[in-house]
Amino acid sequence: MNNLYIPRSGISLDRRGFLGLSALGLSAAALSACGGGPSTSGGKAAGKVEQIDFSGVKPAKEITFWTSNPGDSIKVSTELVNAFNASQTDIKVKLVTAGADYEEIAQKFQTAQTGGDLPDLINLSDVWWFRYKMNDQIIPLDSLFETLEFETDDFVDSLLGDYLYDDAHWAVPWARSTPLFYYNKDHWKKAGLPDHGPETWEEFDEWKAKLAAKGGAKFAFQFPALAGYAGWTLQNNLWGWGGGWSKEESFDISCNSKESVEALSFLKDWVYKDKVAGVAGVDQIQDFAAGVASTTVGSTGDLITAITSAKFDVGVAPLPAGPAETDKICPTGGSGVGIPKDISPERQLAAGTFLKFLTEPEQAIKFSEATGYVPVRKSADPAAILKKTPQAQVAIDQLPNTRSQDYARVFLPGGDLEMANHMASILTENKDVQAEMDSLKTALDKIYTDQVKPLI
């Protein structure tokens, strides 16, 4: 997401200039309609970002860290909090499970804006953090970086860069992920397939019949649960065919393009024509680990769960390419950590102190080793991770082939839900792909027209 293109307005902005819009009469409240979240109201006029001056500020003695425990990370997060508390006596961190998922923690954070019981740090998903920034609810972190001497150059550039707007960083990468291709090695062997993932989806299309006939599972492939996953993982398939939910770096909706329809029709045939694929009702990794499907697509954050839950040897591969595109066909994902605005500088400084500790190479490796999320620091030695979980090398190697997510999913409120609903119609109700994608385009254009365009 290097540029924001606003159709019919003649405005094209890079991420550093995105917020400098006050001269155009554009408010942060208006732009907050571009992000997901329980509300698109509130916020102040966009303008030059003011960094907080922490000179002379003494850190608070106690702070809270809200997390939704992504990747079943409660145990390792507790260990890291305890390690920080034991390493010094100035600041005590309390870990709070503030929701079962990103949506629940977002709702609780919204409630806290008026209730006054704000955390000092909060776990922010790839979709939700931008809304908090637009509504003026989190602080720019760069002055904290300077005050506390963060080694920002050591963060993986693309991961830290995801939070850069108007020359300011609004979060720090933490539980970051990409989708991976998971396969059952026992089923692969029974089907006479080579012990590696397919390079392209067309290659898997040739393999699926062998898996269905000899692999031993109910399905050769299991689509992820569509709610929350369809809009994310299917970006890979759409990009591989030269399509997308929207055209790259724009709000020009392209989900009903020839390329996008071809990509989705290709997948639909697995379910209804070839009858070798199913759709997970709740959790595709649980289904995969139970042997229901020979392969699926899931987050790197599911890696440890998949390996420990399965009673077979789990294979992991990068996402397959398409017939049109082979580079930059894997979306980024996961979450970072930000600091609320409406707390005292003393609490913000203490939060920054813990945030620095939390993302240092040693802690980054411990977190990745326990969860399967990718290490966020360049200098983090993955030897311990790879010794315990060699499959993690795939996620690390795939990082250079990632692409920032589709605007239609990230910035249109309710866009991800519309994608999930229309994909459910296609993959679980056998609806016509072109008709559903035409309908989706209408829905996404309406979101833009009704909730974004009138305010810019």
Side-chain angles (χ1 to χ4, degrees), residues 311-378:
K311 296 182 179 179
F312 53 83
D313 194 3
V314 174
V316 180
L319 291 187
E325 299 286 344
T326 59
D327 294 327
K328 305 295 183 182
I329 44 82
C330 177
T332 58
S335 63
V337 179
I339 297 176
K341 179 179 180 181
D342 291 334
I343 60 174
S344 69
E346 290 77 11
R347 291 170 64 184
Q348 291 167 344
L349 182 59
T353 303
F354 173 66
L355 184 54
K356 179 182 179 182
F357 173 89
L358 183 67
T359 56
E360 285 176 342
E362 182 179 356
Q363 282 66 251
I365 286 296
K366 287 181 180 179
F367 188 80
S368 296
E369 183 180 4
T371 61
Y373 284 107
V374 296
V376 298
R377 297 288 289 266
K378 298 174 185 176

Side-chain angles (χ1 to χ4, degrees), residues 251-321:
F251 288 117
D252 186 357
I253 306 302
S254 59
C255 61
N256 66 336
S257 68
K258 176 183 176 182
E259 295 81 5
S260 296
V261 170
E262 285 180 352
L264 299 177
S265 297
F266 181 82
L267 300 179
K268 179 188 175 183
D269 282 348
W270 295 357
V271 179
Y272 292 102
K273 180 181 177 180
D274 305 321
K275 301 185 186 304
V276 297
V279 179
V282 178
D283 188 332
Q284 77 277 14
I285 293 298
Q286 290 181 4
D287 292 348
F288 170 72
V292 173
S294 295
T295 186
T296 192
V297 170
S299 169
T300 53
D302 295 321
L303 182 59
I304 302 301
T305 299
I307 293 172
T308 57
S309 300
K311 296 182 179 179
F312 53 83
D313 194 3
V314 174
V316 180
L319 291 187

Side-chain angles (χ1 to χ4, degrees), residues 378-402:
K378 298 174 185 176
S379 64
D381 184 357
I385 297 174
L386 299 178
K387 182 178 180 180
K388 178 180 178 181
T389 314
Q391 297 94 328
Q393 185 68 58
V394 174
I396 296 171
D397 291 344
Q398 189 173 234
L399 278 175
N401 201 33
T402 57

Side-chain angles (χ1 to χ4, degrees), residues 26-307:
L26 200 60
S27 70
L31 288 174
S32 70
C34 301
S39 170
T40 57
S41 61
K44 299 179 180 180
K48 184 177 179 181
V49 173
E50 290 189 23
Q51 296 284 342
I52 299 172
D53 182 3
F54 288 100
S55 58
V57 175
K58 293 184 178 180
K61 294 186 177 297
E62 296 186 1
I63 57 173
T64 58
F65 173 31
W66 281 12
T67 177
S68 58
N69 303 315
D72 196 25
S73 56
I74 182 63
K75 181 178 179 181
V76 66
S77 295
T78 300
E79 291 174 356
L80 294 177
V81 166
N82 290 342
F84 175 79
N85 289 339
S87 70
Q88 44 74 57
T89 58
D90 295 330
I91 303 168
K92 182 178 179 180
V93 177
K94 179 182 179 182
L95 187 68
V96 177
T97 297
D101 51 35
Y102 294 137
E103 286 70 28
E104 286 191 8
I105 197 172
Q107 294 287 355
K108 185 171 182 178
F109 187 54
Q110 281 304 110
T111 301
Q113 297 299 318
T114 55
D117 188 21
L118 287 167
D120 301 290
L121 300 98
I122 182 170
N123 177 206
L124 311 170
S125 84
D126 56 340
V127 173
W128 295 82
W129 75 267
F130 187 68
R131 186 188 84 63
Y132 300 146
K133 184 266 162 288
M134 289 290 95
N135 282 348
D136 201 26
Q137 294 169 341
I138 55 177
I139 66 169
L141 300 176
D142 302 86
S143 60
L144 271 178
F145 292 165
E146 183 176 357
T147 299
L148 299 172
E149 298 181 344
F150 272 66
E151 295 180 1
T152 53
D153 289 344
D154 190 43
F155 283 98
V156 175
D157 295 332
S158 61
L159 300 184
L160 182 62
D162 279 342
Y163 307 108
L164 177 65
Y165 271 89
D166 201 25
D167 284 325
H169 293 88
W170 302 89
V172 172
W174 181 49
R176 295 304 306 270
S177 63
T178 64
L180 294 172
F181 184 90
Y182 290 85
Y183 65 97
N184 183 319
K185 289 195 173 189
D186 291 350
H187 293 179
W188 243 239
K189 186 175 181 180
K190 290 178 182 178
L193 298 176
D195 187 13
H196 60 74
E199 292 186 7
T200 67
W201 285 112
E202 290 178 308
E203 184 174 35
F204 181 75
D205 191 52
E206 298 174 357
W207 292 358
K208 69 185 190 310
K210 293 182 179 180
L211 282 169
K214 300 180 179 180
K218 181 179 180 180
F219 298 117
F221 182 83
Q222 181 88 311
F223 286 98
L226 299 177
Y229 265 94
W232 185 45
T233 62
L234 289 178
Q235 290 172 103
N236 159 250
N237 304 88
L238 295 171
W239 293 341
W241 262 256
W245 299 121
S246 63
K247 291 184 178 180
E248 190 169 5
E249 299 179 349
S250 80
F251 288 117
D252 186 357
I253 306 302
S254 59
C255 61
N256 66 336
S257 68
K258 176 183 176 182
E259 295 81 5
S260 296
V261 170
E262 285 180 352
L264 299 177
S265 297
F266 181 82
L267 300 179
K268 179 188 175 183
D269 282 348
W270 295 357
V271 179
Y272 292 102
K273 180 181 177 180
D274 305 321
K275 301 185 186 304
V276 297
V279 179
V282 178
D283 188 332
Q284 77 277 14
I285 293 298
Q286 290 181 4
D287 292 348
F288 170 72
V292 173
S294 295
T295 186
T296 192
V297 170
S299 169
T300 53
D302 295 321
L303 182 59
I304 302 301
T305 299
I307 293 172

